[in-house]
Amino acid sequence: MVSTRITELLGIKYPVFQGGMAWVSTAPLVAAVSNAGGLGIIGAGPLNSDSLIAEIKKVKALTSKPFGVNIMLMMPSAPDLVTVCISEKIPVVTTGAGNPGPYMKAFKDAGTKVIPVVSAVSLAKRLERAGADAIIAEGSESGGHIGEISTMVLIPQVVDAVSVPVIAAGGIGDGRGILASLALGAHGVQMGTRFILTSECAVHENYKKFVLDAKDRDTVITGMSTGHPVRVIRNKLAKIYLEREKSGATPQELDQIASGSMRKSVLDGDTDNGSVMAGQICGMLDSVETTADIFAKLEKEFFSVFSKLSELTKFHNSK
Ligand code: TUI
């Protein structure tokens, strides 16, 4: 592919991050992505200090390349996980579902690069001022917890608003998406759903099959009324949740319905009663591959589209 400000900043080959998905992004996938030249990221979401330390140890045993940790700031364990990342000298921390401002100084002092995920321009500007090294701008095509604005309109607005490098996320699943993101002014991409469909990803086979079978319109957004919208593939649980939401259930009742639902889908393979988070690109994914094969394909697609676009200049009319 190409070198960008983000490959230079982090010392990686490809400007491609693997989203730090809670429950999903564990050591084998993280190491495979970093070994392939991207940035693998541990999803620290459900972990405590000890289990995060254990996961970091596993990644270090599998790769000597840079990797990251994603901390979900809405979790009560977040301050402890920050402490672990600092003492383990993790090169890159990405943050989601909240504002990492309060931890910025501690990370900076430890030499950790902080790359927050944002879903709106205002927070991107605030976090650049607070010292973010780069910004991941995540459009609403993404799976899981999302914002309101789609990638096509979010990326150029964030790119215009900040000076640090921007990584585009949401709806990107192949080489075309990477090239398009660079055209919008991004310096890299983050992909989540595509990396669920790898042989190294440890989610239950039923979860992978559910993502494989899903078409473009098979995801829905639950939790709009609670202020925590989450994109999942439509299933029995999502239908119950949406019906209860429509009939005016309280946020507490809705939390009860969703409680433990990631464990059910990811670990037990219960795709009826579990939450199957995935982005809208699930409709264009049709095979489970090795991470190394995905990177080889991304590179090929990127240059094939690049040369097709270059051919368009033949039709350029300068008059
Ligand atoms: O965090 C994500 N995606 C996630 S987290 C997750 S686990 C989960 N499980 C059950 C319910 C909810 C989540 C699954 N997917 N993406 C990063 C992201 N962060 N997207 C949007 C944001 C965000 C939202 C609001 C970042 C900051 C923010 O506001 C903070 C503030 O202080 O203004």
Side-chain angles (χ1 to χ4, degrees), residues 22 72 96-99 117 119 123 126 138 143-145 230 277:
M72 266 191 65
N99 179 354
V117 180
S119 47
L123 189 58
R126 191 144 47 97
E138 187 190 77
H145 179 75
V230 173
M277 295 183 188

Side-chain angles (χ1 to χ4, degrees), residues 24 193 195-214 233 265-266 269 271 276 282 285-289:
V24 175
T193 306
F195 288 117
I196 297 175
L197 296 185
T198 54
S199 41
E200 293 89 354
C201 178
V203 302
H204 198 283
E205 290 307 309
N206 295 353
Y207 197 117
K208 291 184 188 174
K209 171 128 185 22
F210 219 64
V211 176
L212 272 175
D213 290 346
I233 299 179
S265 58
V266 169
T271 53
V276 189
C282 55
L285 303 178
D286 58 10
S287 59
V288 175
E289 299 158 289

Side-chain angles (χ1 to χ4, degrees), residues 20-23 45-46 70-75 95-100 116-120 122-123 126-127 136 138-139 142-148 190 222 227-231 255 258 261-262 275 277:
M21 298 167 279
W23 296 98
N70 174 263
I71 301 178
M72 266 191 65
L73 296 169
M74 60 156 73
M75 299 293 276
T95 63
N99 179 354
V117 180
V118 306
S119 47
S122 53
L123 189 58
R126 191 144 47 97
L127 292 176
I136 301 170
E138 187 190 77
S142 304
H145 179 75
I146 52 172
E148 288 170 23
Q190 173 165 281
T222 58
H228 294 294
V230 173
R231 184 181 297 286
D255 274 354
S261 59
M262 276 304 277
S275 166
M277 295 183 188

Side-chain angles (χ1 to χ4, degrees), residues 102-167:
Y103 305 113
M104 205 66 93
K105 185 176 179 319
F107 279 131
K108 293 262 142 187
D109 290 348
T112 296
K113 302 264 187 293
V114 184
I115 311 189
V117 180
V118 306
S119 47
V121 170
S122 53
L123 189 58
K125 283 163 97 167
R126 191 144 47 97
L127 292 176
E128 177 182 46
R129 276 200 302 275
D133 294 282
I135 296 283
I136 301 170
E138 187 190 77
S140 55
E141 297 93 325
S142 304
H145 179 75
I146 52 172
E148 288 170 23
I149 308 169
S150 67
T151 301
M152 183 76 132
V153 285
L154 179 64
I155 302 307
Q157 294 187 66
V158 173
V159 164
D160 288 349
V162 300
S163 311
V164 291
V166 174
I167 294 105

Side-chain angles (χ1 to χ4, degrees), residues 209-221:
K209 171 128 185 22
F210 219 64
V211 176
L212 272 175
D213 290 346
K215 298 280 170 282
D216 54 348
R217 298 176 64 231
D218 286 341
T219 68
V220 290
I221 301 173

